Amino acid sequence: MPVPVPHQRTVVLPHQAGPADDACADTARVADAPGAGDATAQGTSAPAPQGFPEPGQPQAAEQRLSADHGPLHQGLTLLLIGEDPNSHVPEMWDWAGRKVRLRTARNLTEAERLLTDDVHCILLDLPPAERTTDRDSGETGAPGDELGMLRDVLRMATSHAVLVLTYETDAERAADAVRVGAQDYLFRDELDGAVLSRAVRYAVERKRADLAQRQLTESRMLAQENARLERGLLPTPLLDGSDLRFAACYRPGRSRALLGGDFYDTVRTPDGTVHAMIGDVCGHGPDEAALGVELRIAWRALTFAGLCGDELLATLQKVLEHERADDEIFATLCTVDISADGRRAGLCLAGHPAPLLARAGEDPQLLPYEFGGPALGLLPHARWPRRQVELGGAWSLMMYTDGLIEGRIGKGNQRLGQEGMTELVSRQMAAGLSGEELLDASVREVRDLNGGELTDDVAVLLLDRR
């Protein structure tokens, strides 16, 4: 299909030609340049405008615009806002050689009605600087604010490119318009099709870049805020006055997260008893992480209130039942209360793996778990018996979540399991590792055996008495 030769066109604004619509021809008076249309009359094709590709060639820029402002199968659409009857907008063609559609609006009220998703750029025809804002025309800028109309347009069209048209004598105001938020400006005296086409293209791409940068900045700020929040929700052990040593290792399974569904805590009550707990909410998302934090804080409050054993777990189950988003969500839990002299402990298990105890001169062994109760949230009237455990004079007690024992061994489906974990920790202890070094080395070896990062949350807590 032949492409017409570009020629100047004078736009008739709505107050001169009646209501505006979507077609260029209905809002424009065409002043034909000499020789215009000769190529079409002779049956030959006129060349596309300089700097633009031949029609029919796929263009990446057009495809990107289409993603932001709807399909371009009907060509590029501009919205001219201005009340100057002498405004001149030359004919233009888009990247595919199609004629650009132009809509016109005399004020913001009309512009808001015409500003649909298929508009790609707004041409704002600023009135002369000496004129003040006409509030009867729909603008809301303050009297004497030369850029009040621009500010109103920017508030109305937050995702559209804005190109300001003004007089060369208003060069300073044009620069101010860009500082306020317009993507670019053009002087009416130098306006032609090629200049305007390039300016529109650059304005649209610049707006896209601004929106992408804003979204990236907002995402980074949100990620930093979430990181600070999650960091603040991690527990601070309260062991002042105790001779026990504490160490912990925590790795959430979620990518770029600091907090997962696993949770732990350790506090010392006024009677000298050290209370420790570790738990795991089923699932791996942010909702499970939030529920884990709620259970941990509730456990700390109930512990300081004097509850322990079956009474404490029954109350925690009520908290879980009220706070969970789904009736199928449950949590496993292991609690230990160590006497003030450090030689005995009470153990409660709620569907959780039994801790690993290493006494001085002995190999680490798993504590019995047959007496434990069900996970929290499974049975309405469950019971969780408390079992007394003799610790001795010097010992290490390691509590962990199932993320540590469910990693694979090699390329097969075999899991590490509690026995494999016990053997692994025994070797690390025999090598002289303790505290955080022991935990870090153990988790690192479990990850290496898995052949990569563990997909489940991992929490490990270690208490030592020497």
Side-chain angles (χ1 to χ4, degrees), residues 1-6 37 39-40 44-49 53-56 93 96-99:
M1 180 177 180
V3 179
V5 178
T40 303
T44 59
S45 297
E54 292 294 331
W93 282 262
R98 293 170 299 207
K99 195 173 182 179

Side-chain angles (χ1 to χ4, degrees), residues 264-339:
Y264 68 89
D265 204 353
T266 306
V267 298
R268 181 174 183 265
T269 49
D271 62 356
T273 303
V274 172
H275 303 261
M277 62 86 76
I278 193 165
D280 182 4
V281 177
C282 66
H284 308 289
D287 292 338
E288 288 75 14
L291 182 56
V293 171
E294 292 179 279
L295 293 176
R296 180 187 67 78
I297 295 175
W299 175 87
R300 177 176 282 202
L302 294 172
T303 299
F304 279 126
L307 277 67
C308 68
D310 181 75
E311 185 180 11
L312 186 150
L313 292 177
T315 308
L316 279 181
Q317 174 159 278
K318 293 180 181 179
V319 173
L320 172 66
E321 291 171 346
H322 287 291
E323 298 297 332
R324 62 186 176 184
D326 191 288
D327 290 342
E328 296 182 357
I329 293 178
F330 62 90
T332 65
L333 196 69
C334 171
T335 66
V336 174
D337 54 276
I338 303 170
S339 61

Side-chain angles (χ1 to χ4, degrees), residues 129-213:
E130 63 272 9
R131 298 183 56 185
T132 58
T133 301
D134 182 4
R135 291 184 179 274
D136 295 335
S137 298
E139 287 76 41
T140 58
D145 185 359
E146 296 178 350
L147 297 177
M149 186 175 183
L150 172 60
R151 293 186 174 90
D152 291 337
V153 169
L154 293 174
R155 282 191 291 267
M156 177 183 67
T158 57
S159 62
H160 292 77
V162 177
L163 188 61
V164 169
L165 302 178
T166 186
Y167 292 99
E168 190 171 0
T169 55
D170 287 340
E172 184 175 351
R173 185 169 63 144
D176 290 338
V178 175
R179 284 191 287 270
V180 168
Q183 273 61 58
D184 206 346
Y185 66 86
L186 286 176
F187 297 131
R188 295 188 185 92
D189 302 336
E190 62 182 19
L191 205 59
D192 61 39
V195 171
L196 183 57
S197 297
R198 285 195 298 268
V200 168
R201 179 173 180 176
Y202 295 156
V204 171
E205 291 298 330
R206 190 175 297 119
K207 183 63 176 181
R208 279 176 44 84
D210 291 344
L211 291 175
Q213 182 62 40

Side-chain angles (χ1 to χ4, degrees), residues 3 14 42-43 65 84 96 103 105 152 157 200-201 324 351 396 401 448:
V3 179
Q42 297 172 9
L65 287 174
D84 185 356
R103 301 175 184 174
D152 291 337
V200 168
R201 179 173 180 176
R324 62 186 176 184
S396 295
T401 57
D448 293 341

Side-chain angles (χ1 to χ4, degrees), residues 243-260:
D243 60 352
L244 301 183
R245 296 188 304 173
F246 170 87
C249 180
Y250 191 91
R251 294 191 180 186
R254 289 187 297 138
S255 175
R256 295 191 297 269
L258 297 176
L259 201 63

